[in-house]
Structure formats: C-alpha cells, structure tokens
Amino acid sequence: MTKNEIYPKMSEAIVSGDRAAARALAEEAVRSGLDLLEVVEQGYVPGIQKVGELWEQGEYFLPELITSAEAMKAAMAVLDPELKLKALGSRLGGKVVIGTVEGDIHDIGKNLVASMLQAGGFEVFDLGADVKLERFIDKAEDVGAGLICLSALLTTTMMNQRRFMGLLHEKGLRDKYKVLVGGAPASRKWAEEIGADGYAENAVAAVKLAKSLAGR
Ligand code: B12
C-alpha cells in the first residue's frame, strides 16, 4: 500500500475504533519501512483529531471516545518499540520527565509527545497520567533530567501546570529545569503567564522546542 492509501485507512481505523485494523496497519507500516514519525502524524493523529471534532459536535459519546482511544493505543503499542529502536543510535543524553498532571486522565497526546521525543533522541521517563506534581520533581531529581513536560487537557487541571511552577520555586529548583507545557487548553500565552519555558501545540513542535531548549 502507498502512503496515500494507508494514511486514510489509519485515520479511519481510529475514527471507527477498530483496534485490530489500527494494529495491523501499524504492523504493515513497520514492514514497509515507512517513516514512522510521519505515519503517526499523518496517519493516526488526523483520526484522533476527527474523533475530537465528532465529540464536540455531539455525534460521539464516551463509549466511542474510549474505543477510539483504545485503537490509538493499539497502534502506538506497535510503533513505540520501533521508534525507540530508531532513537538508540542518536541518543544525545537529554533526559525528559513527562506526564499528565494530577486529576487528568487524558494521555493520548502525552503519549504521542513522549514517543516523538524518544524518536528525537531524548531519554524519556513517562510517569503516565494523573500524576502527583511532586512526583515530576522527585523523578527529575532521581534521574538527572533537564526537561519536565506537563500535559493537561482540562481547563481545571491546567491550573496544576501553574501550581507546578510554584512548587518548583518553593523548592528552590526553578532554575534547575526547563519546563514545557501542552495540551488543548494551554497556549503560548499561558506558558508565559505561569512562567514556564515553553509551549508547543503538537508533538512535532514539542520535539523541536525541546531540542532548542537542550541546545541542540
Ligand atoms: C479522547 C478524549 C477523552 C478520553 C481520554 C482517553 C485517553 N486515554 O486519553 C476519555 C473518554 C477517557 C475522556 C474523559 C474525559 N474528558 Co475528554 N476528551 C477527549 C478528546 C475527544 C480528545 C483528546 C485527545 O486525545 N486528542 C488527541 C491528542 C493527539 O491531542 P492532544 O491531547 O491535544 O495532544 C496534542 C497537543 O495538545 C500536544 N500536547 C499534549 N500534551 C502535551 C504536553 C506538552 C509538554 C507539549 C509540549 C505538548 C502537548 O501534543 C499532542 C500531540 O500532537 C477531547 C476533545 C479535544 N478536541 O481535545 C476531550 C476533552 C479534552 N475531554 C473533556 C472532558 C470534559 C472530559 C471528562 C471530564 C468527561 C466526563 N464528563 O467524564 C473526562 C475527564 C476525566 C479526567 N479526570 O481526566 C473536555 C475538556 C473540557 C475542558 N475545557 O476542560 C474536552 C475538550 C471535550 C469537550 N469539548 O468537552 N476524554
């Protein structure tokens, strides 16, 4: 299958919540030697974006969202190890701690950012979703990370990105780490307002920004 044939099928597999198809198409992409970063961005991400639109238009409800999210995870379970392998040769020592802030269980976007950072040569410590703010700091201290990435998808939980900045200041650690924020309600203006080091609207932009903050 060519890219033009396979990408719409990937998107469709996510929109229809077809886990088996999402997985099989990812396997086919790996077998055919396609650029897997492009596969994620141009094949699967448009699908999950479409799901978001359908939800906002009231056409999709929670069960559809959950099956689409599961399909996305099935595809990423195939692609992630391959992206990691690809990154091994180019690891340049940047360590990143990433997670979705406490109170928030959305993890699809965060997982994409984590995968792309890994593929971009960073060593990624993914704490998962609904992560206590202190854990980000504990982990970063533990592994000697330079960058902390906070994802938030709810207008309520984005306040935890602000709280996190306060916590870093309180602990006297603000200058030790670069902090990136992201997720649908965040913006460049928000990052500035809370004193974070940056905001990126998608996973590709996040990698670019992380590299420039890491001086690469
Ligand atoms: C899928 C989804 C779910 C799934 C999540 C499954 C999962 N495992 O993640 C389920 C069904 C579980 C869910 C639950 C809920 N959801 Co929901 N969900 C969505 C939906 C449709 C898509 C989110 C998504 O995955 N997008 C696709 C990914 C690829 O995009 P993304 O997350 O934005 O990530 C990209 C960028 O933002 C960026 N990025 C993300 N993180 C980071 C971090 C950094 C550091 C950087 C630099 C960049 C970055 O890069 C990513 C890749 O390009 C959105 C609607 C929308 N349009 O966003 C609603 C949405 C986020 N949900 C919403 C709500 C209200 C809820 C619930 C409260 C619903 C309920 N009543 O129970 C619960 C939340 C429970 C909780 N405590 O967290 C609202 C939030 C409203 C608000 N403004 O606060 C939204 C906006 C829908 C709406 N319009 O009402 N949801």
Side-chain angles (χ1 to χ4, degrees), residues 18 29 34 56 85 119 128 144 153 159 167 178 192 211 213-214:
D18 187 340
L34 292 182
E56 270 154 27
L85 270 183
L153 265 284
M159 295 306 156
L167 197 61
K178 300 285 183 199
E192 277 166 22
K211 283 184 175 172
L213 287 173

Side-chain angles (χ1 to χ4, degrees), residues 1 11 16 25 29 62 84 97 100 143 147 150 157 161 201:
M1 253 190 280
S11 172
S16 59
L25 289 162
L62 273 185
K84 262 183 214 161
V97 170
T100 305
V143 300
L147 185 61
L150 306 177
T157 56
Q161 294 177 331
E201 64 184 354

Side-chain angles (χ1 to χ4, degrees), residues 192-212:
E192 277 166 22
E193 189 183 319
I194 65 174
D197 297 289
Y199 156 84
E201 64 184 354
N202 59 47
V204 172
V207 176
K208 233 186 198 168
L209 187 56
K211 283 184 175 172
S212 87

Side-chain angles (χ1 to χ4, degrees), residues 127-142:
L127 301 179
D130 190 11
V131 179
K132 289 252 169 297
L133 300 181
E134 288 78 5
R135 275 197 63 213
F136 286 95
I137 300 178
D138 291 347
K139 190 70 184 180
E141 289 281 284
D142 214 30

Side-chain angles (χ1 to χ4, degrees), residues 98-101 107 110-111 125-131 135-136:
I98 188 169
T100 305
V101 295
D107 66 357
K110 181 269 299 168
N111 291 344
F125 298 85
D126 185 348
L127 301 179
D130 190 11
V131 179
R135 275 197 63 213
F136 286 95

